[in-house]
Amino acid sequence: MAVRNPLESIRGAIIAGVILTAVLYVIAARLLS
Amino acid sequence: MDLTLALARWVHLLAGVMWLGLLYYFNFVQVPALQAAAADGTAAGIVRHVAPRALFYFRWSSVVTWLAGAVLLGNQFVPAFALAKGMAAIGVGAWLGTIMLFNVWVLIWPNQRKVLGLVSATDEEKNHSRRVALLVSRINLTLSIPMLFFMGGGWSHRALFGL
């Protein structure tokens, strides 16, 4: 069975967006400190 | 100069609302609607009358949003994109918005032109283009979440960014 790209679902895209926000925040916060 | 910045912010927000509104329309409404319409043979009206209009405002509002944002950054444009000290938050937002603009014009629009029949393409090419356009549209939905977090920060984010 083929693996489905999680971004194909809206839920997957939103979850990925929230996770990406957290990751970028950690990076940006380090740059700001 | 202050008036220019005020107008740039206003235009940036207006065009940005249109851009993201249409992005969310595609992801939350049109794509599922087309799947349902394809099942009962009523997709032609959406493809012919709705999608081209939505894509027109979608792609041009992305340009206006970016240009107004560039005016708004002014002489902070380079420091923002270089993620200079104190500019990391808006800089990350600006990078995400720029990637989204690239996706609209380089990946989504050329593939949508094939899907909508504005340029000739075989059925196989159309199916490939449909998948690419969908995935990139989903990626832009994903990127819009951190983009708005970083761009819409301001004073409400001072606890997060120590402004």
Side-chain angles (χ1 to χ4, degrees):
Chain A
M1 185 180 158
V3 178
R4 195 162 179 261
N5 187 329
L7 284 180
E8 283 188 40
S9 74
I10 287 176
R11 186 191 297 177
I14 292 172
I15 291 170
V18 173
I19 292 170
L20 184 60
T21 303
V23 171
L24 289 175
Y25 170 69
V26 170
I27 295 169
R30 287 190 178 201
L31 284 173
L32 283 164
S33 62
Chain B
M1 190 59 193
D2 285 348
L3 184 61
T4 304
L5 291 180
L7 289 174
R9 186 180 294 276
W10 188 29
V11 172
H12 185 62
L13 289 171
L14 283 171
V17 166
M18 177 176 264
W19 180 12
L20 290 193
L22 286 167
L23 174 69
Y24 294 162
Y25 160 77
F26 286 127
N27 277 281
F28 289 92
V29 180
Q30 186 174 292
V31 170
L34 273 174
Q35 286 168 350
D40 64 11
T42 57
I46 299 173
V47 171
R48 187 171 175 186
H49 298 293
V50 179
R53 284 179 173 83
L55 279 165
F56 174 84
Y57 290 107
F58 174 68
R59 67 182 187 275
W60 286 111
S61 61
S62 72
V63 172
V64 175
T65 305
W66 194 93
L67 289 176
V71 172
L72 196 52
L73 283 173
N75 58 11
Q76 299 297 310
F77 184 90
V78 173
F81 277 90
L83 306 179
K85 188 90 175 165
M87 300 293 289
I90 191 64
V92 171
W95 268 112
L96 291 169
T98 303
I99 293 166
M100 291 171 67
L101 176 77
F102 175 89
N103 285 344
V104 169
W105 281 92
V106 178
L107 296 170
I108 295 175
W109 174 232
N111 280 294
Q112 283 289 5
R113 290 181 75 198
K114 290 182 186 170
V115 174
L116 296 175
L118 302 176
V119 292
S120 61
T122 64
D123 285 346
E124 193 179 336
E125 286 173 328
K126 281 185 181 179
N127 285 334
H128 176 72
S129 289
R130 191 175 288 114
R131 181 163 171 76
V132 171
L134 170 69
L135 285 176
V136 177
S137 187
R138 286 279 196 269
I139 288 170
N140 270 9
L141 168 62
T142 296
L143 294 180
S144 75
I145 293 170
M147 188 275 292
L148 282 177
F149 174 81
F150 286 98
M151 280 219 178
W155 288 107
S156 60
H157 280 33
R158 63 189 182 279
L160 296 172
F161 291 112
L163 294 172

